[in-house]
Amino acid sequence: MRVLNTRTLEFREVITPSILGKYAILSHTWGEEEISFHDFYKPKSRLLQGYEKIQRCCYVAHSDGYKYLWIDTCCIDKKSSAELTEAINSMYAWYSEAHMCYVYLSDFAAEDQWRPFTTETPSYKYSSFNPDLFAQSRWFSRGWTLQELLASYKIQFLDNTWRYFGDKTTLLGHISSATGIDEIYLQDRDRIPRASVATRMSWASARVTTRIEDEAYCLMGLFEVNMPLLYGEGHKAFRRLQHEIARNYEDDSLFAWCKSGVCSDIFALSPAAFSACHDSSPLHESTDVEADLERTPFSITSRGLSVTAFLLALPFDSVHGHSSLDPACTSRELVLLSLNCSVRSRRFCVLLVS
């Protein structure tokens, strides 16, 4: 791993960001002319938009007094699988330890306006913007930028001309509206671990990544788990992520996802399945029956998930006519699995067909 000197644009090799002191970091969406580590010093690279982006960000960071800057496009040797794995597993920490995160919105332009003269204040120019257009920026729809938003302590937003128009505090309400993330988690990142697993998954439910596997890899930092990268495994990556979460959390909301139709797995296929789980939370009170049931931690076995929970057998007539239930289930046993969590203030249950 390495950082850029904001004055000389030379790389410095570093093992951990903690040795740098105060440094800045860039959050952005990738374009077609991004500069990789191996292409950085090639003469033709200086003609590309990606190089201009690096130059402009270094200029902003240097003007603000930062000696070093980290940019994901050129500071990672992506030809090294070991370095790429290390970078992705430690990326949340890089954003978390940065003193300043610059969010560059390449598809958004702030507008200069003049505040009218009054007897109390002189006329002066300030940047304003259309909140709807702000929320439509591609930056709010990408998977990787979620952890960059949540991990960063200080954020300055820059428009497509690198003009500052607000920060994480002044734009708090607009950011919350655009992301569906409650303001308390945007204001205080130390509260994020208190959010249920399903709530955190819901923050990523409408976001997209170029590669399917990155749906899982971009969330590892948010859940404080690590796992090897296996590009080519497809949706299995998100299943592996849920396995790691199950090993580290006793949170039933991991299974409180929704999908129409009968599913063959208790684990979700993608974060999109958690779109309705924004208001989910664990239950701290149990029924009399559950109080007598000794709950054991989740465990992942060769046969799947092992968990002790309260089950309720149901006659088929009680769910007959349900639009998502296959009529072929009439001859099969129906069991209701009661989860120790709620969604929208209602206890969540899973209907199992055995």
Side-chain angles (χ1 to χ4, degrees), residues 7-303:
R7 183 179 60 85
T8 64
L9 268 71
E10 295 178 343
F11 289 113
R12 174 187 169 181
E13 298 283 341
V14 292
I15 299 176
T16 174
S18 59
I19 67 174
L20 293 171
K22 293 182 179 180
Y23 67 93
I25 200 165
L26 175 67
S27 176
H28 65 121
T29 55
W30 284 39
E32 296 181 355
E33 297 182 346
E34 300 296 347
I35 306 299
S36 69
F37 169 65
H38 290 281
D39 292 335
F40 188 79
Y41 289 116
K42 293 180 179 179
K44 65 177 182 180
S45 295
R46 296 173 181 262
L47 303 176
L48 301 179
Q49 294 178 1
Y51 192 84
E52 180 185 1
K53 182 192 292 186
I54 295 170
Q55 281 185 311
R56 297 290 293 271
C57 194
C58 281
Y59 175 81
V60 171
H62 183 70
S63 299
D64 288 343
Y66 296 105
K67 185 177 180 179
Y68 295 110
L69 173 71
W70 191 87
I71 303 178
D72 58 355
T73 53
C74 62
C75 290
I76 305 171
D77 181 1
K78 298 178 182 64
K79 290 187 177 181
S80 168
S81 59
E83 183 169 322
L84 180 61
T85 298
E86 178 188 355
I88 290 181
N89 275 281
S90 63
M91 197 170 293
Y92 193 94
W94 274 87
Y95 281 90
S96 178
E97 295 185 29
H99 188 260
M100 175 61 70
C101 175
Y102 296 110
V103 173
Y104 171 61
L105 305 183
S106 59
D107 56 355
F108 176 76
E111 300 175 355
D112 281 341
Q113 294 188 9
W114 287 92
R115 186 177 297 279
F117 172 84
T118 67
T119 55
E120 289 82 15
T121 59
S123 177
Y124 63 92
K125 187 169 67 173
Y126 69 100
S127 294
S128 66
F129 64 97
N130 184 317
D132 294 331
L133 295 179
F134 176 64
Q136 292 171 18
S137 173
R138 183 167 170 259
W139 187 82
F140 287 108
S141 67
R142 304 302 296 175
W144 287 105
T145 56
L146 173 62
Q147 68 170 357
E148 296 163 14
L149 167 66
L150 292 170
S152 299
Y153 175 60
K154 292 182 180 179
I155 291 180
Q156 287 188 3
F157 286 88
L158 309 171
D159 75 354
N160 58 2
T161 63
W162 293 90
R163 175 173 43 186
Y164 167 80
F165 65 90
D167 57 37
K168 194 174 183 179
T169 300
T170 60
L171 302 176
L172 181 63
H174 298 301
I175 298 171
S176 178
S177 297
T179 59
I181 302 174
D182 195 294
E183 291 185 8
I184 61 171
Y185 302 115
L186 296 171
Q187 289 176 307
D188 183 3
R189 60 185 180 179
D190 292 334
R191 294 180 65 97
I192 293 175
R194 303 179 194 177
S196 71
V197 168
T199 292
R200 279 179 270 178
M201 285 290 190
S202 73
W203 300 340
S205 62
R207 292 174 178 258
V208 296
T209 57
T210 301
R211 304 194 65 164
I212 294 176
E213 297 85 356
D214 285 337
E215 290 182 340
Y217 301 157
C218 73
L219 296 177
M220 291 192 295
L222 185 59
F223 290 102
E224 301 179 279
V225 299
N226 296 292
M227 60 187 199
L229 310 185
L230 301 173
Y231 283 106
E233 66 175 329
H235 289 294
K236 291 181 181 178
F238 190 65
R239 181 182 176 85
R240 284 199 298 126
L241 174 68
Q242 293 171 92
H243 285 186
E244 289 300 319
I245 293 172
R247 291 187 180 99
N248 288 274
Y249 292 81
E250 290 186 46
D251 186 344
D252 286 13
S253 72
L254 174 61
F255 315 112
W257 51 275
C258 303
K259 183 181 181 298
S260 60
V262 176
C263 303
S264 59
D265 199 340
I266 197 168
F267 292 107
L269 184 66
S270 75
F274 291 88
S275 61
C277 298
H278 172 73
D279 186 21
S280 66
S281 61
L283 292 176
H284 301 291
E285 296 181 0
S286 303
T287 63
D288 293 339
V289 175
E290 290 173 315
D292 296 331
L293 179 68
E294 183 179 354
R295 293 294 299 265
T296 59
F298 306 138
S299 61
I300 302 297
T301 70
S302 59
R303 299 182 64 182

Side-chain angles (χ1 to χ4, degrees), residues 298-353:
F298 306 138
S299 61
I300 302 297
T301 70
S302 59
R303 299 182 64 182
L305 176 74
S306 175
V307 59
T308 302
F310 177 66
L311 300 176
L312 176 64
L314 293 177
F316 180 79
D317 291 344
S318 63
V319 291
H320 181 64
H322 195 283
S323 59
S324 63
L325 193 62
D326 190 336
C329 295
T330 53
S331 60
R332 307 175 70 178
E333 184 179 2
L334 304 180
V335 178
L336 199 64
L337 169 63
S338 177
L339 299 182
N340 194 30
C341 68
S342 65
V343 177
R344 297 177 183 175
S345 301
R346 293 186 177 183
R347 193 182 191 100
F348 196 93
C349 297
V350 178
L351 181 63
L352 304 177
V353 182

